């Protein structure tokens, strides 16, 4: 992904689905894509909103500091303490959003049952090698 890549909904879908065993689901209706691993959500991506945004799981302390650093990062109505909604208005670098998606995925994997968690962590490690 080059620096010139523009943040689009399709690109976000691609980044989410690149995570090992990630699936796209529509438990809240067809207006929002929900990305899950091991049956647990790590990203929510609405369709058709005026501004493209993605809601991601985040460590509570980090969530707070990202909200202070970027006006495009806000507390999510979903669960303010653990989730941030990131508005993709161009003010947040693509690389950062990609890292936050990966962090959200990792936080969810860390809370999965041990056997599944071990297998996914091995897959993540193999991607990095």
């Amino acid at each position: 992904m080059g620096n010139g890549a523009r943040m689009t909904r399709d690109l976000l879908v691609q980044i989410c689905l690149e995570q090992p065993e990630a699936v796209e689901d529509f438990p809240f209706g067809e207006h929002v894509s929900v990305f899950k691993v091991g049956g647990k959500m790590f990203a929510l991506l609405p369709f058709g909103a005026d501004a493209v945004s993605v809601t991601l799981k985040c460590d509570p302390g980090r969530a707070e500091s990202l909200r202070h650093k970027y006006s495009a990062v806000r507390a999510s109505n979903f669960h303010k303490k653990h989730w941030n909604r990131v508005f993709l208005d161009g003010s947040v670098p693509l690389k950062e959003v990609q890292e936050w998606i990966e962090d959200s995925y990792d936080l969810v994997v860390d809370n999965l049952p041990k056997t599944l968690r071990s297998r996914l962590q091995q897959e993540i490690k193999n991607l990095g090698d």
Side-chain angles (χ1 to χ4, degrees), residues 67-80:
R67 290 174 206 151
H68 289 294
K69 184 175 177 184
Y70 295 105
S71 62
V73 178
R74 310 208 186 115
S76 167
N77 297 341
F78 187 64
H79 188 306
K80 289 178 172 56

Side-chain angles (χ1 to χ4, degrees), residues 17-126:
L17 290 175
E18 281 171 358
Q19 309 311 307
E21 295 186 35
V23 293
E24 185 176 8
D25 192 11
F26 297 89
F28 306 123
E30 57 196 37
H31 63 286
V32 62
S33 295
V34 175
F35 296 91
K36 297 179 174 180
V37 59
K40 303 286 185 203
M41 297 189 299
F42 70 91
L44 290 94
L45 192 52
F47 280 97
D50 296 337
V52 177
S53 72
V54 61
T55 301
L56 300 168
K57 193 162 189 159
C58 193
D59 170 76
R62 183 152 188 247
E64 196 61 40
S65 73
L66 290 174
R67 290 174 206 151
H68 289 294
K69 184 175 177 184
Y70 295 105
S71 62
V73 178
R74 310 208 186 115
S76 167
N77 297 341
F78 187 64
H79 188 306
K80 289 178 172 56
K81 190 172 169 193
H82 291 276
W83 292 81
N84 270 344
R85 186 164 180 199
V86 182
F87 288 87
L88 305 167
D89 59 5
S91 67
V92 181
L94 177 60
K95 186 101 191 89
E96 293 231 13
V97 177
Q98 185 173 0
E99 280 173 22
W100 299 344
I101 290 171
E102 291 167 2
D103 289 349
S104 179
Y105 173 88
D106 290 343
L107 280 170
V108 172
V109 167
D110 288 346
N111 290 306
L112 291 174
K114 191 174 190 313
T115 50
L116 178 58
R117 182 176 67 228
S118 302
R119 189 178 81 231
L120 288 167
Q121 286 169 337
Q122 188 57 48
E123 282 187 51
I124 295 164
K125 189 179 166 304
N126 292 343

